[in-house]
Amino acid sequence: MVAMILSGIVLTITIMIEIAVLGVYGLSTDVFPFLILVEKLNLGEFIQGLEVIAMVVLIIGGFFKVTVFTYAAVISATDLFKGQNHRKFVLPIGVMIFITSMITSDSFVEHINQGKIVLKTIFPLFEFVIPLLLMIVFFIRQRIKQQ
């Protein structure tokens, strides 16, 4: 929970700085506003050219994000199929992720357009609908246990 709160605070501060430097229009039109922000960074004509460090940070962050999501998928599949050993699910899920990543979009533009559709249709389902249903089921089970 602390990690989620800290991540939220860091993201909020980063977006506030991006809005302050790039403006709302620049933030909404740039594909990678963080890189534009880092490109504009110039501390006393001494610290410049931090784009490489920013790219390394973004790549490492993306790696950890994919790793955590893959781990969650493996553990969830193990639990869903009542498996004893989660190692049996690593290869099938890894292959599914690889194949899906290869066939979903042919270009960056197509990837962005698909992302816009997913953000409006699929994400609300996983962010609001399913958690709400799980919370309702939880409260119903609690009431049944109390009776």
Side-chain angles (χ1 to χ4, degrees):
M1 194 65 146
V2 172
M4 287 177 51
I5 292 171
L6 288 176
S7 297
I9 291 170
V10 168
L11 285 172
T12 302
I13 291 171
T14 303
I15 291 172
M16 287 171 45
I17 292 171
E18 288 173 351
I19 291 172
V21 172
L22 303 174
V24 175
Y25 181 75
L27 183 69
S28 63
T29 57
D30 289 332
V31 178
F32 297 109
F34 180 69
L35 286 178
I36 305 298
L37 173 72
V38 171
E39 188 177 291
K40 292 180 182 282
L41 188 64
N42 185 3
L43 299 175
E45 299 294 327
F46 179 67
I47 298 177
Q48 301 176 11
L50 298 175
E51 295 91 2
V52 174
I53 295 172
M55 280 304 300
V56 168
V57 168
L58 289 174
I59 290 170
I60 291 172
F63 172 77
F64 280 108
K65 178 179 166 183
V66 170
T67 303
V68 168
F69 285 165
T70 304
Y71 178 74
V74 168
I75 297 302
S76 299
T78 304
D79 190 45
L80 180 66
F81 295 112
K82 303 199 185 324
Q84 299 298 323
N85 189 358
H86 69 275
R87 293 180 185 183
K88 294 177 184 177
F89 294 95
V90 172
L91 184 62
I93 289 178
V95 169
M96 285 191 294
I97 291 171
F98 178 73
I99 291 172
T100 304
S101 69
M102 297 302 277
I103 64 172
T104 53
S105 56
D106 293 326
S107 67
F108 184 72
V109 174
E110 187 179 340
H111 171 73
I112 295 296
N113 289 334
Q114 288 175 352
K116 289 178 183 176
I117 294 168
V118 168
L119 281 173
K120 293 178 184 174
T121 57
I122 296 174
F123 276 12
L125 178 70
F126 286 100
E127 291 176 350
F128 301 111
V129 176
I130 293 175
L132 182 65
L133 290 174
L134 288 172
M135 190 170 66
I136 290 170
V137 168
F138 173 76
F139 285 126
I140 290 172
R141 285 184 176 177
Q142 289 296 326
R143 286 205 184 244
I144 290 172
K145 282 184 182 179
Q146 289 175 355
Q147 294 175 357

